[in-house]
Amino acid sequence: MPLLDTPVRLGVQIQPQHVTYPQIRDAVLRLEEMGVDILFNWDHFYPLYGDPDGLHFESWTMLAAWAEQTERVEFGALVNCNSYRNPDLQADMARTIDHISAKDGGEGRFIFGTGSGWFEKDYAEYGYEFGTAGSRLNDLAEGLERVHARWDVLNPAPTRKIPVLIGGKGEQKTLRLVARYADYWHSFVTPEELPHKLSVIQKWADQEGRDTSDLVLSNELKDRDQAFADRLFDGGVRLFTVGFPGPDFDYDAIRRWLAWRDAKNG
């Protein structure tokens, strides 16, 4: 750990705010054609910045549309909020989207990115209990257990072992969940922080009895340059994500990161 022999991949998070859905649909098509590896949205009900009551769309229904629209790219939420939906329902939605995205009898392309939630307005406006950071993480732990149990009994089963992405860096709860469940660990930590955080994950993995040699490290490129990305790469990061705000989508920035990815992969 970390997994160093996996290729560098680029994920683009299409922000579902301040744009029309046709603009999102077009961005999905263009980004897949450009060669992006993973497309993400986010799971909120209101814009996170800009006009707080501006245009905004819901995550899971959008992901089902992407499953049908796309042919190659993997996709998911960065990240789903565990609080909004019954965990068994989340598992069933994920399994269904997994099947929708499978083309010509192949495997699905859905990634189950999940987290405990943090944006209080989502909860207040839609009638969900906000609780505390600790209670939401406890709910996430229970939810992940139920999600995996439901995947084991659904008929039909998912087309593949659906990859789980968990975001965050809290050492007592979040990183223990990473050690127990995650295929991807997503964070915003600096290259200097990575060794310590990885040692914490390894400590929890030892207690959980899990081999984390297949864990892929994921990190964010927002407001970071290629020199910083190089340092993350040297620290073991192999999935790099970049936010993609509209309506004036900057495709040239994505081309630059794709060129950097391709250079890393030789």
Side-chain angles (χ1 to χ4, degrees), residues 26 29 60-61 66 69 73 77 86 92 109 130 132 182 204 227:
D26 179 65
L29 177 63
W60 278 86
T61 44
W66 291 6
Q69 176 186 351
V73 72
N86 171 286
D92 204 341
R109 294 170 287 117
F130 188 56
T132 66
W204 287 124

Side-chain angles (χ1 to χ4, degrees), residues 175-195:
L175 295 187
R176 185 167 193 172
L177 293 176
V178 169
R180 183 182 302 168
Y181 293 112
D183 300 284
Y184 296 90
W185 170 47
H186 182 75
S187 76
F188 295 78
V189 302
T190 65
E192 292 74 24
E193 293 177 282
L194 274 172

Side-chain angles (χ1 to χ4, degrees), residues 23-38:
Q23 289 172 315
I24 293 174
R25 184 189 299 115
D26 179 65
V28 169
L29 177 63
R30 291 184 64 178
L31 291 168
E32 182 175 46
E33 289 179 341
M34 289 170 66
V36 166
D37 298 293
I38 304 174

Side-chain angles (χ1 to χ4, degrees), residues 68-89:
E68 195 68 71
Q69 176 186 351
T70 58
E71 297 290 332
R72 174 197 56 80
V73 72
E74 291 189 284
F75 61 95
L78 192 65
V79 290
N80 166 62
C81 178
N82 176 72
S83 304
Y84 307 154
R85 306 165 188 90
N86 171 286
D88 295 85
L89 175 60

